[in-house]
Amino acid sequence: MAQQAYVTETDGGGSGSERRGPGFRRLANRLTTGWRGDPRIWRRGLVTAAVAVVLALVMAAHAHIPNRFGNLGSLTETFLPWLGLCVPVLLLLAVVRRSATALIAVLLPAVVWLNLFGGLLTDKAAGGGDLTVATHNVNADNADPAGTARSVAASGADVVALEELRASAVPTYEDALAPTYKYHSVQGTVGVWSKYPLSAVAPVDIKLGWTRAMRATVTTPQGPVAVYVAHLPSVRVKLEAGFTARQRDTSADALGEAIADERLEKVILLGDLNGTMNDRALNAVTSQMRSTQGAAGSGFGFSWPASFPMARIDQIMVKGVEPMSSWTLPETGSDHLPVAARVRMDTQS
């Protein structure tokens, strides 16, 4: 009886598989038949083809999208990588419509996207390095500042920058980080904690009227390095005003000037810049520094929002030192993810 039951069940499964087979074949035949000898394959799907061409133009010429109207250019550049999701959708529409014109057109945005972001799909991390740094916007409303501090310290970073520090929470961060970091300084709402001595600590004026940026010299075993910590003003997307970022842009220019005037050769910038490396509004900074994620990371390294990261607005940027690896850290009580990088101070080796 047991054997009979087994045979019956097996036969039933086989029949189900056989029933599914023709269904898949019919679907495949429906998608592939009718292409050869049908002159309409060049006339169908013209709307899909047009959308593909426009998408390719937007990605290829994003730098020419004007910011005069609601900072539309910066908004597009902030979420530029996500435009790639339109490519498989357009490809599916082209296949369903059986349009050769649309299929060819879809190649355009695919090639442009790969040219812009294909390099980020590979792991560029290398071994070595002699200084690990991390930065984290801890969120002023963080309900667990001590846990957040311990989580960032657990990364093994030699230098940690924290942004959006509420004055009442600063002692909590200081107590939690004291066992790991002997030296620290807090300027306004930003701070730096270091295993190595700090000197020449000073706020950096980014044209806000209060302190959200600072500079310090960190004396590492490999020599001094200027560390900048910055939290640029937030941006907003409003129906009536578009992407409002004027104050952020002004502060970015001021930060870029301060870094350009830096006398030390080795410079590291840590912070929440409220903008991505693609955003032209940050050119004053990005034109003179390298992103550790772009140079030595794996993937896009999105850091915000922590629950579903869509953009990397928390940056580690360097000049005069060599990025070796870059990564995001586990989620904390903040709405941002911490990011970290390891660099080599001696660029001649």
Side-chain angles (χ1 to χ4, degrees), residues 66-77:
N67 259 343
R68 292 191 300 273
F69 309 103
N71 282 300
L72 183 60
S74 287
L75 178 60
T76 301
E77 289 164 340

Side-chain angles (χ1 to χ4, degrees), residues 200-264:
V201 177
V204 174
D205 182 10
I206 56 173
K207 312 303 181 185
L208 282 176
W210 69 96
T211 302
R212 282 175 51 147
M214 64 177 291
R215 178 225 181 265
T217 296
V218 179
T219 304
T220 75
Q222 292 75 32
V225 57
V227 173
Y228 284 78
V229 182
H231 182 195
L232 298 188
S234 299
V235 297
R236 297 287 185 270
V237 180
K238 300 179 180 179
L239 291 178
E240 72 278 8
F243 192 63
T244 58
R246 181 173 301 176
Q247 185 60 67
R248 189 278 311 268
D249 299 349
T250 300
S251 293
D253 291 341
L255 178 62
E257 291 177 9
I259 293 172
D261 293 338
E262 175 58 51
R263 295 184 178 182
L264 289 180

Side-chain angles (χ1 to χ4, degrees), residues 105-119:
V106 170
L107 291 176
L108 294 175
V111 170
V112 172
W113 190 92
L114 287 173
N115 181 61
L116 290 173
F117 304 110

Side-chain angles (χ1 to χ4, degrees), residues 16-334:
S17 176
E18 292 173 358
R19 285 195 297 271
R20 287 194 296 270
F24 287 126
R25 285 195 292 272
R26 283 196 298 271
L27 177 60
N29 290 337
R30 182 178 179 184
L31 293 176
T32 57
T33 57
W35 289 74
R36 302 180 69 179
D38 182 1
R40 292 180 300 170
I41 63 174
W42 300 104
R43 297 196 295 267
R44 285 194 296 260
L46 296 182
V47 173
T48 301
V51 172
V53 171
V54 171
L55 178 64
L57 289 174
V58 168
M59 290 192 292
H62 63 86
H64 300 287
I65 300 175
N67 259 343
R68 292 191 300 273
F69 309 103
N71 282 300
L72 183 60
S74 287
L75 178 60
T76 301
E77 289 164 340
T78 297
F79 298 103
L80 194 61
W82 292 94
L83 293 181
L85 293 179
C86 298
V87 173
V89 175
L90 292 172
L91 178 62
L92 178 61
L93 289 175
V95 172
V96 171
R97 291 285 293 146
R98 289 184 297 188
S99 168
T101 302
L103 279 176
I104 295 172
V106 170
L107 291 176
L108 294 175
V111 170
V112 172
W113 190 92
L114 287 173
N115 181 61
L116 290 173
F117 304 110
L120 295 175
L121 301 180
T122 60
D123 188 353
K124 298 176 289 299
D130 41 43
L131 183 71
T132 302
V133 297
T135 181
H136 190 23
N137 179 327
V138 296
N139 188 354
D141 298 322
N142 194 319
D144 184 20
T148 295
R150 289 192 295 268
S151 177
V152 176
S155 68
D158 302 302
V159 178
V160 169
L162 300 182
E163 304 87 48
E164 205 167 298
L165 291 168
R166 185 188 292 272
S168 59
V170 168
T172 303
Y173 287 106
E174 291 175 331
D175 291 343
L177 293 172
T180 306
Y181 301 98
K182 184 177 180 180
Y183 309 95
H184 86 280
S185 176
V186 174
Q187 303 287 323
T189 62
V190 298
V192 61
W193 277 258
S194 173
K195 295 179 180 179
Y196 306 121
L198 300 177
S199 61
V201 177
V204 174
D205 182 10
I206 56 173
K207 312 303 181 185
L208 282 176
W210 69 96
T211 302
R212 282 175 51 147
M214 64 177 291
R215 178 225 181 265
T217 296
V218 179
T219 304
T220 75
Q222 292 75 32
V225 57
V227 173
Y228 284 78
V229 182
H231 182 195
L232 298 188
S234 299
V235 297
R236 297 287 185 270
V237 180
K238 300 179 180 179
L239 291 178
E240 72 278 8
F243 192 63
T244 58
R246 181 173 301 176
Q247 185 60 67
R248 189 278 311 268
D249 299 349
T250 300
S251 293
D253 291 341
L255 178 62
E257 291 177 9
I259 293 172
D261 293 338
E262 175 58 51
R263 295 184 178 182
L264 289 180
E265 178 185 353
K266 303 179 189 300
V267 184
I268 298 176
L269 170 62
L270 307 166
D272 174 6
L273 302 190
N274 270 305
T276 68
M277 294 297 296
N278 298 313
D279 192 338
R280 80 203 56 181
L282 301 184
N283 280 351
V285 176
T286 57
S287 63
Q288 57 180 318
M289 305 190 80
R290 299 172 68 191
S291 163
T292 59
Q293 182 66 26
S298 175
F300 292 94
F302 295 147
S303 64
W304 178 88
S307 57
F308 187 82
M310 297 183 65
R312 185 180 178 91
I313 62 175
D314 301 276
Q315 307 289 354
I316 299 177
M317 304 181 67
V318 300
K319 69 175 180 177
V321 302
E322 185 66 24
M324 304 305 293
S325 56
S326 187
W327 63 97
T328 56
L329 296 172
E331 187 174 356
T332 69
S334 172

